[in-house]
Amino acid sequence: ELKVEQNPLFLSMQEGKNYTIYCNYSTTSDRLYWYRQDPGKSLESLFVLLSNGAVKQEGRLMASLDTKARLSTLHITAAVHDLSATYFCAVDVEYGNKLVFGAGTILRVKS
Amino acid sequence: NAGVTQTPKFQVLKTGQSMTLQCAQDMNHEYMSWYRQDPGMGLRLIHYSVGAGITDQGEVPNGYNVSRSTTEDFPLRLLSAAPSQTSVYFCASSYSGGGRSYEQYFGPGTRLTVT
């Protein structure tokens, strides 16, 4: 059974600081997704990582994928309050049909 | 395009009642899925479909039925609601091909409470 583990599950950080969220998974896959969810809202796609070594950046967020280590990271640079949300990683185990999600990381950026 | 739409947005059911959550997409995506989201557990896959007439079970299928008669629609039926089915339900669709292959697009969700 595939397990996807995110850590930390809760992150409180000061504006301007850097931090990394980790996503480990237990089976072979080369497709991993990061989503953002605001309270009471749906999931918004942030990054699609489709191969080993993939790196994507958007604004203050950068995601990477190491399929050999079964690890993805979401790095936050110079955090701002607007980044406060819950971030999920999800591993695709059947070509778009089956996503297995991590439990999510609640990020709070304090000004 | 409206994307993925879900109705209703909110629903309260009594134990034992049945109902159908509606999901539709206008992007001609072949894949559609239903997830439930419970606090602290991320999203879990209930059922999915790879095309009209084809469905399969996900991680937590018990108590739910699906069918897919058209590409656009993928309703989720609760047969006999139980308090354990209190959750937020998300429908998603995805497609193959292109740089964002298999990326799932999520609907706005249905918040269901079973009393």
Side-chain angles (χ1 to χ4, degrees):
Chain A
E1 179 188 338
L2 170 64
K3 292 194 184 305
V4 179
E5 294 185 349
Q6 281 183 242
N7 71 83
L9 296 182
F10 181 77
L11 177 55
S12 179
M13 55 191 299
Q14 293 289 129
E15 275 194 331
K17 297 293 188 185
N18 304 333
Y19 208 84
T20 300
I21 299 171
Y22 297 89
C23 175
N24 290 89
Y25 55 99
S26 63
T27 195
T28 302
S29 176
D30 58 2
R31 293 176 306 285
L32 189 140
Y33 306 86
W34 284 95
Y35 290 91
R36 169 184 170 139
Q37 185 179 39
D38 293 300
K41 303 292 188 183
S42 185
L43 280 76
E44 172 191 353
S45 178
L46 292 175
F47 299 109
V48 178
L49 303 170
L50 297 178
S51 61
N52 185 42
V55 178
K56 297 281 182 74
Q57 181 159 9
E58 181 81 28
R60 301 174 189 274
L61 301 177
M62 183 173 71
S64 65
L65 178 62
D66 181 342
T67 58
K68 291 186 173 61
R70 298 178 185 173
L71 171 68
S72 179
T73 60
L74 180 66
H75 186 72
I76 303 154
T77 301
V80 294
H81 181 71
D82 285 351
L83 290 179
S84 296
T86 300
Y87 294 85
F88 292 97
C89 64
V91 176
D92 186 351
V93 296
E94 200 172 302
Y95 292 98
N97 302 321
K98 287 184 173 180
L99 289 190
V100 179
F101 280 79
T105 297
I106 300 172
L107 173 65
R108 293 289 175 261
V109 181
K110 298 183 287 187
S111 51
Chain B
N1 285 354
V4 180
T5 58
Q6 292 183 237
T7 56
K9 285 187 169 46
F10 301 93
Q11 183 70 49
V12 178
L13 290 179
K14 293 188 188 305
T15 298
Q17 288 184 316
S18 63
M19 80 158 294
T20 299
L21 308 186
Q22 301 292 343
C23 174
Q25 52 93 8
D26 61 359
M27 298 175 283
N28 202 33
H29 286 174
E30 60 260 54
Y31 306 133
M32 295 185 76
S33 306
W34 277 102
Y35 294 86
R36 60 177 287 171
Q37 183 176 27
D38 301 298
M41 297 188 72
L43 278 73
R44 291 181 292 167
L45 182 64
I46 305 171
H47 285 285
Y48 64 97
S49 169
V50 302
I54 307 169
T55 63
D56 205 347
Q57 296 182 349
E59 182 185 354
V60 288
N62 292 342
Y64 308 95
N65 270 358
V66 292
S67 61
R68 189 154 175 218
S69 56
T70 68
T71 299
E72 294 79 19
D73 300 299
F74 191 43
L76 178 72
R77 281 181 287 277
L78 280 70
L79 309 173
S80 177
S84 61
Q85 293 179 305
T86 294
S87 189
V88 181
Y89 291 84
F90 288 100
C91 178
S93 71
S94 62
Y95 68 101
S96 60
R100 295 182 81 84
S101 292
Y102 309 112
E103 179 185 8
Q104 296 211 359
Y105 294 79
F106 284 84
T110 295
R111 187 174 297 272
L112 175 69
T113 301
V114 183
T115 61

